[in-house]
Amino acid sequence: MHAPVLPKSLKHCRCYVNGEFVKSTKTFANYSPVDGKQIAVVYEADEALVDYAVHSAKKALSGPWGAMTVEQRAVLLHKVADIIEARFDEFVAAEVMDTGRPVHQAKTLDVYRGIHNLRTFADLGKQAHGEMFESHLPDGTQLLNYTRRSPVGVVASISPWNLPLLSLTWKAAPALICGNTLLCKPSEETPSSATLLAEAFHEAGVPPGVFNVLHGFGKDSTGEFLTSHHEIDAVTFTGESGTGSTIMQAVAQGVKPVSFELGGKNAAIVFKEADFTAAVQGIVRSSFTNSGQVCLCTERVYVHRSIFKQFVAALKVATEALKVGKPNDPDVNMGPLISLVHKEKVLGYMRLAEEEGAVVVTGGGVPTFNDERDYGAYVQPTVWTGLPDTARCMQEEVFGPVCHISPFDDEDEVIQRANNTHYGLAAVLWTENLSQAHRVAAQMKVGVVWVNHWFARDLRTPFGGQKLSGLGREGGAYSLEFYSETTNVSVRI
Ligand code: NAD
Ligand code: 6OD
């Protein structure tokens, strides 16, 4: 396999504001999760730069961007997608450098979805339509009501580190096709693909101030400066539920619209009617993809008691067959976690699980490589059994490669147990019984239910979570709704 090509611009990641790549007075280091070594220096947007960016974005609303038709904006978004395609390997290298994930995953998940997000919303935006109501008052007056959409204004988009390009473009594409201007704050852990994306917007000729990238942290830094700025018109956020709550408080005074995609403690249910082999492979995928660092990952698995022992044994074998290692190794299934700090958090949960009485079926610690990776953020894919549903490890999001398997006896019981969490993002059902699948899906308190698969996406469908897992839905028309203001025009005829 070829070594990934890393553009020089990523050694010193600058912010992108008002059509220019800018440095700031403060920098921070970006470290590789593979071996803990420093890989880049990043310029952190301070309060003055955030303020300048907000004003540039506001000004851009009434400039050439504001005068463009939706078709013209769609051409520009497709052009950005073309540039990502042309620089595909660089984007892959950027994601791999920051996250340590296997190259094939960066290709098929992050960068593929970056392109797909841009193209999908460019096309969907052109189909956005309003409503029309004809009515008659008691005196016979006839009214024609129709709705018009306009941009919300300056949108702040704050994204996490787990799927950097995917998350950022998932928000940027609909926000821009609707005519808004955008201030993106990628995670401090993953500045690289956002910097490359800014290069793509620049090269595509998107007018200055329309798309901006502000690097930095959250609290007392760029994220907080952005969400507390009174000239921001809306905030779209993906990240932890606690951060969502903090952001909600920051924007409360200005009553700004928010769209939140937050954490999860997702359950999978394996019924005795399941295709056993498909379910085992499915759980391996839904629990360990991206080292368990996908909000949709399964951390709780409920398996019918009649197949429980057999299932645990098969999952152990399948989990132990996963190869944990370097991103460039084509046979590797799992890379490191995002950082040494996150590794400590996940290891803390691994210790806690044992204190809470878990039986460690496999994993539970750190793999040994006897090379530089021993300084990296690797942990073993881990399977537990034996915990009560009330254990902290059954209630709190670990966001690592861990899952717990519990037996269940009947359908009503398992629905109640799967829903017994403060989160409500996703659930997976494994069953060949169609009636059972529909019956159970209807009772899951989550934003998305997958039946006999996991994380296959149609971008026109609503995506989001219930309870602590989010607020609002994005995807297809739901995104166009969030990123637009609607005005009703009522005409007396
Ligand atoms: P995080 O909440 O720590 O950070 C997310 C972003 O918010 C980062 O850019 C961070 O700098 C910024 N931030 C942090 N504090 C802030 C503040 N006070 N004000 C403004 N910005 C602030 O989350 P993370 O650790 O980067 O990501 C992992 C979490 O994201 C997990 O909980 C995961 O489930 C969740 N997630 C959810 C979805 C979803 O679609 N529901 C998708 C991906 C990740
Ligand atoms: O698939 C998507 O559109 C999406 N927003 C996925 C988020 C995954 C969370 O980690």
Side-chain angles (χ1 to χ4, degrees):
M1 184 174 288
H2 296 298
V5 212
L6 265 177
K8 279 204 191 102
S9 53
L10 297 187
K11 279 280 159 211
H12 294 90
C13 286
R14 291 169 297 171
C15 298
Y16 182 66
V17 179
N18 201 23
E20 289 180 333
F21 287 91
V22 293
K23 295 180 177 174
S24 54
T25 48
K26 253 173 127 179
T27 59
F28 62 94
N30 184 13
Y31 297 98
S32 165
V34 172
D35 55 16
K37 288 191 187 134
Q38 182 172 328
I39 44 182
V41 169
V42 187
Y43 289 95
E44 178 181 347
D46 58 17
E47 201 159 5
L49 185 54
V50 171
D51 188 54
Y52 172 59
V54 173
H55 286 111
S56 310
K58 193 165 179 181
K59 198 165 150 223
L61 283 169
S62 52
W65 180 250
M68 276 184 199
T69 61
V70 65
E71 288 81 6
Q72 289 168 322
R73 294 196 296 269
V75 167
L76 280 179
L77 291 189
H78 276 295
K79 210 163 164 188
V80 175
D82 293 343
I83 294 166
I84 302 177
E85 267 170 357
R87 299 179 64 182
F88 194 86
D89 288 348
E90 293 177 51
F91 276 88
V92 170
E95 291 294 57
V96 169
M97 174 174 82
D98 284 354
T99 63
R101 79 186 36 154
V103 168
H104 56 87
Q105 274 179 26
K107 284 183 181 175
T108 54
L109 195 54
D110 300 270
V111 185
Y112 159 75
R113 267 296 299 276
I115 296 163
H116 191 40
N117 287 340
L118 286 158
R119 294 204 190 286
T120 302
F121 285 105
D123 294 340
L124 283 177
K126 289 189 281 186
Q127 296 164 24
H129 51 80
E131 290 177 304
M132 195 271 281
F133 303 94
E134 275 183 314
S135 47
H136 296 89
L137 300 183
D139 67 357
T141 306
Q142 195 181 343
L143 299 178
L144 174 69
N145 293 278
Y146 62 91
T147 53
R148 289 188 47 81
R149 287 166 185 265
S150 54
V152 179
V154 177
V155 176
S157 164
I158 301 192
S159 43
W161 44 258
N162 64 321
L163 298 170
L165 189 67
L166 183 159
S167 303
L168 203 159
T169 50
W170 167 246
K171 308 293 194 156
L176 293 173
I177 197 64
C178 290
N180 300 284
T181 56
L182 194 65
L183 300 147
C184 303
K185 196 206 84 62
S187 167
E188 55 274 25
E189 304 283 0
T190 51
S192 301
S193 58
T195 306
L196 280 191
L197 187 65
E199 292 183 13
F201 272 87
H202 193 77
E203 203 181 319
V206 173
V210 171
F211 178 82
N212 305 274
V213 173
L214 296 163
H215 294 298
F217 297 82
K219 189 168 163 40
D220 299 325
S221 175
T222 320
E224 204 173 290
F225 302 147
L226 203 46
T227 53
S228 59
H229 198 292
H230 62 280
E231 290 189 76
I232 290 290
D233 296 302
V235 178
T236 179
F237 168 72
T238 309
E240 285 188 5
S241 304
T243 313
S245 169
T246 305
I247 292 176
M248 208 163 179
Q249 291 169 47
V251 300
Q253 208 176 357
V255 200
K256 307 287 165 69
V258 290
S259 171
F260 286 165
E261 293 175 10
L262 309 175
K265 186 71 184 177
N266 310 304
I269 305 177
V270 183
F271 292 96
K272 63 178 188 303
E273 294 82 358
D275 173 335
F276 186 87
T277 310
V280 172
Q281 287 311 318
I283 298 294
V284 168
R285 220 182 128 243
S286 69
S287 294
F288 303 129
T289 295
N290 202 29
S291 304
Q293 302 167 121
V294 179
C295 56
L296 309 156
C297 274
T298 303
E299 292 192 5
R300 297 177 298 138
V301 186
Y302 293 94
V303 178
H304 193 266
R305 197 177 297 279
S306 61
I307 54 169
F308 179 75
K309 274 195 186 149
Q310 199 190 345
F311 192 90
V312 172
L315 192 65
K316 174 176 159 65
V317 172
T319 304
E320 288 173 356
L322 292 174
K323 186 171 177 191
V324 180
K326 286 190 179 170
N328 289 333
D329 179 342
D331 298 326
V332 155
N333 306 103
M334 222 183 82
L337 296 171
I338 188 66
S339 65
L340 296 176
V341 171
H342 192 53
K343 175 181 174 182
E344 277 317 305
K345 178 184 159 190
V346 173
L347 287 177
Y349 275 109
M350 289 185 176
R351 287 189 291 273
L352 177 65
E354 291 189 52
E355 283 162 30
E356 290 187 308
V359 175
V360 180
V361 176
T362 185
V366 174
T368 306
F369 298 103
N370 293 317
D371 61 26
E372 73 279 6
R373 285 171 292 177
D374 292 337
Y375 299 98
Y378 288 90
V379 297
Q380 294 170 321
T382 296
V383 178
W384 299 311
T385 57
L387 287 176
D389 289 350
T390 49
R392 277 183 57 199
C393 289
M394 292 290 279
Q395 291 292 332
E396 296 173 18
E397 181 187 45
V398 177
F399 218 54
V402 300
C403 71
H404 179 275
I405 323 179
S406 315
F408 73 89
D409 294 297
D410 73 60
E411 200 178 286
D412 289 343
E413 169 212 340
V414 77
I415 292 167
Q416 188 274 326
R417 290 174 69 189
N419 283 334
N420 185 16
T421 153
H422 294 300
Y423 291 102
L425 189 56
V428 192
L429 310 180
W430 290 96
T431 177
E432 296 293 298
N433 179 330
L434 204 57
S435 307
Q436 181 177 55
H438 289 295
R439 194 169 58 236
V440 177
Q443 296 176 76
M444 301 309 298
K445 302 255 178 275
V446 293
V448 54
V449 179
W450 280 296
V451 180
N452 296 330
H453 75 107
W454 175 76
F455 200 13
R457 297 271 290 110
D458 179 331
L459 306 189
R460 296 168 300 179
T461 59
F463 183 86
Q466 302 191 16
K467 301 189 265 182
L468 278 187
S469 291
L471 196 58
R473 296 289 180 274
E474 295 203 34
Y478 293 82
S479 296
L480 302 180
E481 190 68 32
F482 177 73
Y483 296 106
S484 307
E485 282 292 3
T486 306
T487 303
N488 183 61
V489 180
S490 180
V491 184
R492 180 174 153 180
I493 334 189

